[in-house]
Amino acid sequence: MNHTQSKALFTRAQERIPGGVNSPVRAFRGVGGDPVFFREAAGAWMTDVDGNRYVDLVGSWGPLILGHAYPPIVEAIIDAARRGTSYGAPHPGEVELAELICATVPSVEKVRLVSSGTEATVAAIRVARGFTGRDYILKFEGCFHGAGDPFLVKAGSGVETLGLPDSPGVPAALAKLTLTAPFNDIGAVERIFAEKGKEIACAIIEPVVGNMGVLIPKLNYLQELQALCQRYGVLLVLDEVMTGFRLARGGAQELYGLKPDLSTFAKVVGGGMPLGAYGGRRDIMAKVAPEGPVYQSGTLSGNPVAVAAGLACLKALAAPGTYARLEQISRALEEGLVAEAKAAGVPITLNRVGSMLTVFFCDTPVYDYASAKKADTARFSKFFHAMLHEGVYLPPSQFEAAFVSLAIGEPEVAHILAAARKAFRALG
Ligand SMILES: *Cc1c(COP(=O)(O)O)cnc(C)c1O
């Protein structure tokens, strides 16, 4: 496989863009080697600038649940753009999208649209602090909530891969207000709440972690967290940026029967365009300006083109059988990967919830940050490059989730498993 054009572009990019990329994980630092530059994508496949083709298991890190350039989304984008790319004023589409989000996720009674997941989580924390009058927040080790200052403490993959556990530029005085607990350890939350519960505005969590690789919540862990939050008046902020509209139509909260106080969304909700949202209890969202005193705004918030893409995406997902089909493809992939690893004598732990999965190169269970760190990253890197060579684009880090899209059918599953057979054997 020839990567001449990608290499030339990366050389140019490094001159004018920090690290040559506009988001760190894209630089392949987690696996070594140079990143691949893409020129086009359709359905399950991406084509790089040298003409090589790959089945995509990244899906733009989650948004592309329907695959690349899904025709109804592309049509909706073109149609909206012809009527103006931005008004900076209210329009019907944003009302329709807000109504659709609230109807799909019942804990969300009112919602504000923003342009990214980071914007959504930063705003949700501000609202939680404004509503409760408390300053501390609790997050969980390895969970990632975007690149906002309050979250760059034990923040998982992107930060982890670069070895920057606390980013320079985040004042220590601010980081001190972010308490952390291990994921899947309810006793740790009990101890923190017993000491500081009445000073904590909110607990923010990825219900299924995707940003340390996939971590599955233990039975009743999320329900117990919700009950503890209620006992101490700590708001529960469910960060569904990755899981929302993906693990079920109503997200992880539908799957696990949760009723968070606030939720954050991005990725799937925007259908591949820059769009995020935060929302929840009516009395809490009433604090948001101009209804209330907590300030939050955005020039391109509710952008008509992004909203049109989001609406087209959510409407397509409402078709009957969508999530059952996604589960079926994802399960076939899981079973095939486990079988190929076993046949090659390569020990792995495969974690999967719905269409999110990670192959960890270790033979012990992975359920939190410490157990994930036992994975052999050197082995993952070899596996990653072998898969890339065979035409499968995996997330370029051991500590990221792979995403299955509805564009992946039986031929693509066969292609991935044939590649995995070679890649595992090369390790065995
Ligand atoms: C991707 C992600 C974010 C950040 O979203 P951006 O759109 O990249 O700002 C926040 N939380 C979770 C759980 C995510 O997966």
Side-chain angles (χ1 to χ4, degrees):
M1 201 175 260
N2 176 350
H3 287 120
T4 314
Q5 302 293 333
S6 276
K7 284 189 195 309
L9 279 163
F10 191 48
T11 302
R12 272 172 62 198
Q14 282 169 293
E15 274 303 305
R16 294 299 181 195
I17 304 173
V21 291
N22 281 309
S23 200
V25 71
R26 298 177 196 170
F28 277 27
R29 298 270 172 110
V31 290
D34 291 343
V36 179
F37 283 62
F38 290 93
R39 71 167 183 231
E40 61 185 310
W45 294 83
M46 295 206 290
T47 305
D48 73 15
V49 288
D50 289 286
N52 305 304
R53 296 183 78 231
Y54 311 81
V55 169
D56 182 20
L57 285 173
V58 180
S60 190
W61 302 95
L64 304 181
I65 192 167
L66 292 154
H68 290 272
Y70 183 70
I73 295 181
V74 174
E75 292 307 317
I77 288 171
I78 293 168
D79 183 56
R82 284 197 204 287
R83 287 180 283 114
T85 53
S86 185
Y87 309 127
H91 63 97
E94 59 189 2
V95 184
E96 195 188 340
L97 184 55
E99 287 170 350
L100 185 53
I101 293 171
C102 293
T104 311
V105 188
S107 75
V108 178
E109 295 172 331
K110 255 188 188 178
V111 62
R112 170 62 62 79
L113 301 182
V114 294
S115 300
S116 73
T118 299
E119 250 191 282
T121 53
V122 166
I125 296 300
R126 185 178 305 139
V127 173
R129 283 173 163 157
F131 181 80
T132 58
R134 302 173 179 184
D135 285 343
Y136 284 94
I137 66 166
L138 174 67
K139 78 177 280 292
F140 295 82
E141 289 170 15
C143 283
F144 177 72
H145 304 292
D149 280 355
F151 309 120
L152 293 180
V153 178
K154 300 191 177 168
S157 59
V159 183
E160 188 52 40
T161 309
L162 286 171
L164 303 171
D166 295 307
S167 172
V170 177
L174 188 63
K176 254 194 292 192
L177 296 176
T178 301
L179 308 173
T180 60
F183 187 75
N184 265 333
D185 179 354
I186 201 69
V189 179
E190 273 166 2
R191 288 190 293 279
I192 290 167
F193 281 9
E195 195 187 321
K196 269 203 154 48
K198 298 286 179 199
E199 296 168 68
I200 301 174
C202 65
I204 182 166
I205 192 163
E206 288 182 78
V208 172
V209 185
N211 287 295
M212 196 63 230
V214 174
L215 306 184
I216 304 168
K218 287 183 180 161
L219 186 68
N220 293 329
Y221 170 69
L222 296 168
Q223 286 82 351
E224 284 166 15
L225 175 65
Q226 177 170 282
L228 269 179
C229 284
Q230 278 162 0
R231 174 136 44 98
Y232 285 91
V234 173
L235 301 184
L236 176 63
V237 181
L238 213 60
D239 183 355
E240 295 236 45
V241 167
M242 195 180 272
T243 54
F245 308 98
R246 175 172 282 280
L247 295 188
R249 204 161 166 247
Q253 51 196 279
E254 179 183 311
L255 195 63
Y256 295 104
L258 302 170
K259 197 168 184 296
D261 301 293
L262 291 170
S263 301
T264 52
F265 304 95
K267 300 192 170 128
V268 172
V269 76
M273 291 291 283
L275 188 148
Y278 68 98
R281 271 167 49 188
R282 187 175 290 277
D283 58 332
I284 299 173
M285 290 303 288
K287 294 289 180 199
V288 178
E291 196 169 325
V294 177
Y295 193 72
Q296 184 271 317
S297 70
T299 300
L300 291 177
S301 292
N303 175 268
V305 182
V307 163
L311 278 170
C313 179
L314 297 194
K315 285 178 183 171
L317 291 173
T322 301
Y323 291 91
R325 191 150 56 85
L326 196 56
E327 172 66 22
Q328 193 192 332
I329 307 163
S330 306
R331 180 178 304 146
L333 208 51
E334 171 185 355
E335 289 172 355
L337 287 168
V338 168
E340 293 299 349
K342 197 167 177 213
V346 175
I348 61 162
T349 293
L350 195 151
N351 280 358
R352 178 179 75 86
V353 178
S355 55
M356 292 166 54
L357 65 88
T358 300
V359 175
F360 288 101
F361 284 84
C362 60
D363 54 6
T364 45
V366 178
Y367 53 88
D368 64 3
Y369 179 82
S371 53
K373 295 305 288 177
K374 290 184 185 154
D376 184 338
T377 53
R379 268 199 144 184
F380 175 81
S381 301
K382 275 192 192 159
F383 180 74
F384 169 85
H385 282 290
M387 292 293 276
L388 191 71
H389 186 76
E390 294 299 323
V392 179
Y393 193 73
L394 286 172
S397 164
Q398 170 69 95
F399 305 113
E400 295 284 359
F403 295 96
V404 181
S405 81
L406 286 154
I408 292 179
E410 277 174 28
E412 286 78 20
V413 171
H415 173 86
I416 295 165
L417 294 180
R421 170 170 301 183
K422 287 192 186 170
F424 281 130
R425 290 212 174 141
L427 294 178

